Amino acid sequence: MASSRTFSRVLTAAALALAALATACGAAATATNTPAPAADTIHPILGTTVLRQGEQRVSFILETASQLVSAQTASIVTTHVDGSGTSQHTTARFDKWPYGTRGAYVTNLSFDEPGTWRLAIVVDQGGTEGETELVVKVADAAAVSEIGEIAPFSNTKTLESVGGDLSKLSSQHEPDPDLYRITVGKSLFSGRPSIVVFASPAFCTSPTCGPQVETVTSLKEAHGGEADFIHVEIYDNPDEMKGNLSRGELSPVLAEWGIDAIADYRNESWTFVIGRNGRIAARFEGFASFDELEAALQETMSS
């Protein structure tokens, strides 16, 4: 009898072992047959924070958890969330920023109604495939000086007004003296177009403010004598800040252009192209490439 009970226990243990082995094999088979994880999810970052009704330049960054998305183009479809407004289907191009591998997508979008809009973005090029969306708020109008308006007659600082001390004019490591020869106000009467860049190279929240000012210098070198090129430092006292942002005092010129009215403004650059008639012909929030600025400048020179 004892042997029978022992034999029964052995059979039971064997059965349990076989069941456990079958379960393990089944689990292994299930794991083997599970599809590979999908590609990294694409996350969008809106670069244009000031959006208003009408047509305007819009920029955004696309990235995954592991890399920046830099496919040559991205497809965009815009729709108003409540079903009103006119949808738009267009393409954004990737513009690489100087001094690095980062960059942003840029396009022109038209919003014919204020409110909340959805931007459906699809990338399928160069081995990158995915889709994402941005939900943006579009206002009736923007506080920042607008295209078509007469530019403010700002009495900006010049080399002459600060006794030749460039440290009082810019936080850039090696400022270009030519960007501080004339005030914005006087440039409006020069009979030439103007490019005015508001930027703080040492205190920008992205790595683009210094390169943006340098891009304006490159335009000056390519079109010397054809236009006025002006840099306005975001801070009124760059020479006193000594690397400490808390010491900074915003330039009063920002208020004249409405830039200080931007909610949660974080020192990102703004560049304006002004025609011979003193009216703003184009404006760019964030980094604008040499080609973008040159095209806008040439358009004003030909008009």
Side-chain angles (χ1 to χ4, degrees):
M1 181 69 69
S3 297
S4 176
R5 285 198 298 270
T6 300
F7 182 68
S8 176
R9 284 197 297 271
V10 169
L11 286 178
T12 301
L16 289 173
L18 287 172
L21 179 61
T23 301
C25 290
T30 301
T32 301
N33 294 329
T34 300
D40 288 346
T41 302
I42 295 177
H43 300 284
I45 301 172
L46 185 64
T48 306
T49 62
V50 177
L51 294 171
R52 46 91 176 122
Q53 187 174 355
E55 184 176 350
Q56 65 211 284
R57 173 185 183 268
V58 176
S59 69
F60 56 88
I61 296 170
L62 298 178
E63 62 182 13
T64 68
S66 60
Q67 65 181 350
L68 177 78
V69 176
S70 57
Q72 188 176 357
T73 60
S75 176
I76 305 173
V77 176
T78 64
T79 53
H80 200 290
V81 296
D82 67 5
S84 62
T86 303
S87 295
Q88 181 181 2
H89 187 180
T90 188
T91 299
R93 71 180 184 279
F94 181 78
D95 278 354
K96 189 175 179 180
W97 293 340
Y99 312 121
T101 59
R102 298 191 65 80
Y105 288 88
V106 178
T107 189
N108 283 339
L109 295 179
S110 182
F111 303 101
D112 58 359
E113 289 189 14
T116 303
W117 287 75
R118 181 176 290 108
L119 279 57
I121 304 168
V122 177
V123 178
D124 185 6
Q125 189 182 65
T128 301
E129 181 179 351
E131 57 186 67
T132 187
E133 69 174 32
L134 281 165
V135 177
V136 301
K137 298 290 186 181
V138 176
D140 293 302
V144 180
S145 293
E146 185 61 87
I147 294 172
E149 295 178 352
I150 293 290
F153 292 80
S154 299
N155 185 29
T156 50
K157 294 180 179 180
T158 64
L159 268 175
E160 183 180 4
S161 70
V162 298
D165 188 350
L166 280 169
S167 69
K168 295 181 180 296
L169 298 171
S170 176
S171 63
Q172 196 161 18
H173 179 59
E174 294 182 356
D176 177 2
D178 290 341
L179 302 187
Y180 313 96
R181 302 289 186 189
I182 188 172
T183 68
V184 171
K186 287 184 178 179
S187 75
L188 301 183
F189 296 96
S190 70
R192 298 181 295 271
S194 303
I195 291 187
V196 181
V197 55
F198 292 83
S200 184
F203 299 103
C204 195
T205 52
S206 75
T208 63
C209 289
Q212 186 67 88
V213 177
E214 292 175 11
T215 300
V216 172
T217 288
S218 297
L219 278 168
K220 177 211 69 178
E221 293 170 349
H223 298 278
E226 299 177 272
D228 295 320
F229 300 88
I230 301 170
H231 169 224
V232 181
E233 171 67 43
I234 297 298
Y235 294 98
D236 200 43
N237 58 334
D239 57 320
E240 299 172 353
M241 295 172 69
K242 309 298 183 185
N244 189 341
L245 190 61
S246 65
R247 297 176 182 170
E249 299 174 4
L250 287 179
S251 168
V253 178
L254 296 186
E256 297 173 10
W257 290 72
I259 296 174
D260 70 333
I262 300 172
D264 301 319
Y265 176 59
R266 297 185 181 278
N267 306 340
E268 290 299 315
S269 62
W270 279 82
T271 308
F272 298 83
V273 179
I274 304 167
R276 292 187 180 92
N277 59 4
R279 293 188 181 275
I280 297 171
R283 71 177 188 184
F284 303 86
E285 179 184 356
F287 183 79
S289 67
F290 180 96
D291 291 342
E292 281 189 280
L293 294 178
E294 185 177 49
L297 177 61
Q298 289 181 332
E299 186 173 346
T300 65
M301 292 190 294
S302 63
S303 60

